[in-house]
Every structure is written in C-alpha cells, then in structure tokens.
Amino acid sequence: MKKPGFYLNLHDREKNVPFESHDPSMMYDVKSGFYYSYSTDAAITSEYRQGIPVRRSRDLVSFEFVGYALSEEAVREGRDNGEGNRPTGGFWAPYAECVEGEYRLYYSATKAFGSSESRIWLAVANHPEGPFENRGVVVDTWGTTDAEPNAIDPHVVDCPDGRKFLVYGSFFGGIYLKELSVQTGLCMDGDIHALGCRIAVKPENSYIDGPEGAAVMYHPEKKLYYLFLSYGWLGDDYDIRVGVSPKVDGPYLDREGKSLNGESLGQKVAGSYRFPAEKPYAAEGENWKFAGFRGPGHGVPFYAPEADRFFFVHHIRDGAESLCHKPKNPWKKPSYRMHYMVVRAMYFAGDWPVLCPEPYAEEDAAALLATEAGQEMLSEIKEWEWLTCSNTCNEIAVSKQGNLPELPVDGVIGICYDYENSRPVKFLSAYTHKNEILWAKAIV
C-alpha cells in the first residue's frame, strides 16, 4: 500500500499535483499506459492560464502536471462569444475519450458564471496531451431561458449496442441526454440547438442547489446504467449521488424506487464529512488544523482495465476553518476554496455503488460483502469511528465512536490508508435500512 496522492495544506501545484484540480475527469490511454485527468481552468496560487489543465499518472496515486490540452487557436475560437459579448474567461468540466486512435475532448464555454447560455465544444488530437483543435460545437444553449438546460458539464456514455450519448446540463432545466455520431463525436442529428431528452431534474420542493456535474456509466456485468450527479452549494455542502436504470434514457431510480427526474435527488454516496485526525496526511502549518473534507462532487466513474476494477474521481475541499472564506455580506455563503483531485476505489454492494471512505492509495482490491462473508469480520471489530450521510440534509457529517448504529443492509469491507491518521485501517462502506450511506473505520 502506498500513501495518498495529495497532501492537505500544501498549496503548490508543482509539489502537490492534485491541488487546484476542479471538476476532474479521468481517461486511461491504452497506447501509453497513462491515466490522464483533464479539469476546469482553475488556479489559486499558480499562474492562471486558459486551455484545460492536464495531469497524468501510472498508478492513480502519483500524478504529474503535463501542461494544457487546447491549442492557442482552439482557445481563441472557444472563448469568442461574438460581437458585443465578453470572451469566456475559462473553460469548464472537460471530458476526454479515445475513439479508434483519435482523442476527443469535450469542454464547456459559458457566457458568464451562473449563466444558462453556454456551448459544449469538441476538440480532437492524435495525442492525449494535445494540442487539441476544435472540431465544432456539440450543443448550444445560447439565447435560451433559465427554464431550459445549460450546455455545460459534458460526459459521454457508451452503450453496449455501440451508440454514444452526450450527458450534460447544470441547474436550470436539469440533466439531458443527446445522441452523438460515433464517427465524428458531434451530435447525431447535426442540430446543435436540439436539446435531447431530460433524465434528471430536482423536485419542486427541494431547497438544495443542483443538479450538475453528471456522468453516466454502463456496467456490462450488471447490465445497468448508473447516473452520478451532484447537488449542493459548490463551496461547502456539495455531494455525490446516483440513480440506476436498465436503459440509458432512464428512468433512473434511487434505492426507494423514486425517479431522479423530478421525484428524488438521488441516492447519496458521499457528502461533506469529518473523522477525528491524530496525524492527518498534511503539510505542517501554524494556523492550519484538520477539520474534515467539504463538498466532494462533480465526479466521473471510470474503469481501470489493467487493474480490472472501478474507480471514481472527483474534487474535494479542505475543511480547515483557517482556509474558509467568510464574506462580509451575511446573505452570502462561506466558501472552502482550497480544492484537490481525489481518486476513490468504487465497489458494488449488490447493484449499488459504494465509495471507499478514504482516498485511493493502491490498496488491495479484495473486499468482502459486509452482509455475507464479511459478517465474521464485522463481529470481530468492537469499536468503530463511523458516520452516516443523510439523503435529505447536506450539513457536514461528523463521526461518532463506538458500536455501529445498525448492521448494514448492503456494503463492502476492506483495508485502505487512513488519511486522518496516516496508517492502514479496516473500513466499511455500506447502506443502512434508512438508505443512508455508512462509512466506518475500525479503531486500532
């Protein structure tokens, strides 16, 4: 087992490569054997540059920063919003894939932060590090109202019959699905203003922001599609949720059988959380004190072929109070701004995904069903540090110590690296009878 791929409280991208990664995606390149992660144009302490930052890794633990994906011409074209409009200052939420040797990068260009007028571009290259040149716009919501979807946050899902679909949308009209041409990667019907079909929107009585940051994955053994998305305030109480469907266009349902298309926010699989930390994996600092993680979200599930297992990549924020920006205006929310890319092992408890409570550190993939073979191991552990993430509340979940609140319904147990205490630990990730996600670590 290795140590995790990022330190908290080290705000230097050269020394701490996952730092500043926001809205990350992940692609495995069969030619080079590298995993490539593309993310939103973002800089906190680094010099800002527009053009999609690129990181790569051999093992999903140690990463290196390799530059920017888009060519200068692609940047000029993508940021041009026409006469009378300010150019787009940054591109968001890229997603990349390789199709028969051609690398395709989908990225978002919006009129302004919070606007529903946006475009999703497709850029192509013959190398995963670029330079990527624009092929064209895939979907355009310029000139639409806030009741319609927003053309940002692209993701591509591959169906077993060979079809491809673009998954996109943020807030406003919800999450949409639009068929793509396998040959070109552009929209199948050639109409960039055609929106496709809606697969998720928040219930009318919901107070939580969202949805956004959606991704759909097909599991060939289970023959099911998984729709992951995020709800919540981006700087604090963001989360990761999921719905399941046998069909790519849904309906996607939560564990109670409610549709994500207006009835349910989805089954939560991760939210803001805090375990006690005696020796956190972090750089030392006089004013810094570990206070958990805030706002995991905007993630992408992916399959690692050389490891024959699934993972989930997302961004997360350092919850230290010394790093929290508290605006003078009382109506504005505080924001935890120091963000990092996190890779987590993703397991399946029955048909439902569960994430490891800790960042990936190349631990053994072997995990036992907590409700079957794992029961003996569960009974051997007398004390746990455990927490549950509510489906209805996005406040930070703070762990408790002692016996588990109840035996889990579905889950997995295994061994991971304890980020809060810098040592290996037995973990449990499971669902409760209330369909809350339960994360627990054995007390050593």
Side-chain angles (χ1 to χ4, degrees):
M1 185 182 301
K2 297 181 179 179
K3 294 182 179 180
F6 70 99
Y7 288 91
L8 289 180
N9 198 40
L10 180 54
H11 308 140
D12 184 336
R13 191 180 64 192
E14 296 301 317
K15 298 178 181 178
N16 199 22
V17 178
F19 175 61
E20 296 181 329
S21 176
H22 208 271
D23 311 322
S25 62
M26 193 72 71
M27 177 193 73
Y28 179 70
D29 178 30
V30 295
K31 294 181 180 179
S32 65
F34 278 109
Y35 292 91
Y36 281 91
S37 181
Y38 306 83
S39 58
T40 288
D41 290 333
I44 301 174
T45 62
S46 302
E47 181 180 356
Y48 179 79
R49 176 179 165 181
Q50 190 172 1
I52 307 297
V54 186
R55 296 165 173 85
R56 72 180 186 183
S57 173
R58 291 281 188 191
D59 58 9
L60 294 172
V61 177
S62 300
F63 284 83
E64 58 180 321
F65 188 85
V66 294
Y68 296 83
L70 296 178
S71 70
E72 292 183 2
E73 177 58 29
V75 171
R76 282 195 292 270
E77 186 177 19
R79 71 194 306 266
D80 184 3
N81 291 325
E83 186 176 354
N85 295 304
R86 296 183 62 182
T88 293
F91 302 130
W92 293 355
Y95 177 78
E97 63 173 359
C98 184
V99 181
E100 296 184 354
E102 177 181 73
Y103 296 93
R104 297 175 178 175
L105 178 68
Y106 296 85
Y107 67 94
S108 313
T110 191
K111 183 177 181 179
F113 185 84
S115 171
S116 61
E117 295 183 282
S118 309
R119 298 185 179 98
I120 293 175
W121 285 85
L122 168 61
V124 298
N126 58 15
H127 192 279
E129 296 174 26
F132 284 82
E133 304 290 350
N134 289 329
R135 174 168 287 171
V137 174
V138 184
V139 60
D140 187 327
T141 56
W142 205 268
T144 59
T145 69
D146 288 355
E148 296 174 276
N150 189 8
I152 66 171
D153 297 354
H155 184 262
V156 176
V157 55
D158 292 292
C159 300
D161 60 7
R163 292 180 299 164
K164 286 181 174 289
F165 287 87
L166 177 75
V167 183
Y168 76 95
S170 177
F171 284 71
F172 308 112
I175 307 300
Y176 276 65
L177 195 71
K178 183 173 181 178
E179 190 167 4
L180 300 174
S181 164
V182 176
Q183 287 72 33
T184 67
L186 298 170
C187 52
M188 177 67 83
D189 58 14
D191 183 359
I192 63 174
H193 299 289
L195 302 176
C197 68
R198 193 184 73 190
I199 58 174
V201 71
K202 75 175 182 178
E204 290 185 1
N205 62 350
S206 172
Y207 72 94
I208 300 177
D209 294 335
E212 64 177 13
V216 172
M217 179 195 80
Y218 179 73
H219 195 301
E221 294 182 2
K222 300 182 181 299
K223 295 181 171 53
L224 291 171
Y225 292 91
Y226 294 85
L227 168 60
F228 293 88
L229 39 67
S230 290
Y231 276 92
W233 159 239
L234 184 62
D236 185 358
D237 59 7
Y238 219 40
D239 65 20
I240 303 169
R241 296 172 182 263
V242 69
V244 178
S245 175
K247 299 192 299 182
V248 68
D249 56 354
Y252 288 90
L253 308 179
D254 65 12
R255 282 178 62 89
E256 296 179 349
K258 295 181 180 179
S259 172
L260 273 63
N261 204 359
E263 294 180 344
S264 168
L265 299 173
Q267 172 61 52
K268 188 183 290 187
V269 294
S272 298
Y273 68 98
R274 187 173 77 222
F275 284 107
E278 295 179 2
K279 188 181 178 182
Y281 192 66
E284 294 183 0
E286 293 182 3
N287 297 321
W288 183 88
K289 183 179 179 180
F290 182 82
F293 291 99
R294 297 275 183 166
H298 201 123
V300 173
F302 65 97
Y303 174 72
E306 89 299 344
D308 189 26
R309 60 189 298 196
F310 289 93
F311 291 90
F312 197 89
V313 62
H314 62 90
H315 66 241
I316 203 163
R317 298 172 189 272
D318 187 340
E321 288 298 318
S322 62
L323 300 176
C324 180
H325 172 71
K326 298 179 180 179
K328 295 180 180 179
N329 187 333
W331 298 106
K332 292 186 177 182
K333 297 180 179 180
S335 179
Y336 296 82
R337 292 184 171 180
M338 297 301 179
H339 50 78
Y340 303 82
M341 175 178 65
V342 178
V343 177
R344 294 182 193 267
M346 183 167 72
Y347 304 99
F348 285 84
D351 288 337
W352 289 88
V354 291
L355 302 181
C356 181
E358 300 287 4
Y360 180 59
E362 210 172 44
E363 60 267 13
D364 190 348
L368 302 175
L369 287 175
T371 52
E372 296 176 7
Q375 286 288 3
E376 182 177 349
M377 186 179 292
L378 282 176
S379 64
E380 293 174 354
I381 300 172
K382 302 304 180 183
E383 279 198 293
W384 297 84
E385 293 169 350
W386 60 268
L387 56 84
T388 56
C389 289
S390 167
N391 277 325
T392 58
C393 175
N394 271 22
E395 293 181 359
I396 187 169
V398 179
S399 70
K400 299 179 181 179
Q401 182 173 325
N403 295 327
L404 294 176
E406 59 181 283
L407 286 178
V409 176
D410 295 303
V412 297
I413 58 176
I415 297 177
C416 65
Y417 189 89
D418 187 342
Y419 200 98
E420 289 80 8
N421 299 290
S422 300
R423 62 193 178 200
V425 68
K426 292 179 181 178
F427 77 87
L428 166 69
S429 184
Y431 293 102
T432 71
H433 287 86
K434 297 179 181 179
N435 288 322
E436 296 178 326
I437 196 70
L438 168 66
W439 280 357
K441 296 189 297 183
I443 294 178
V444 179

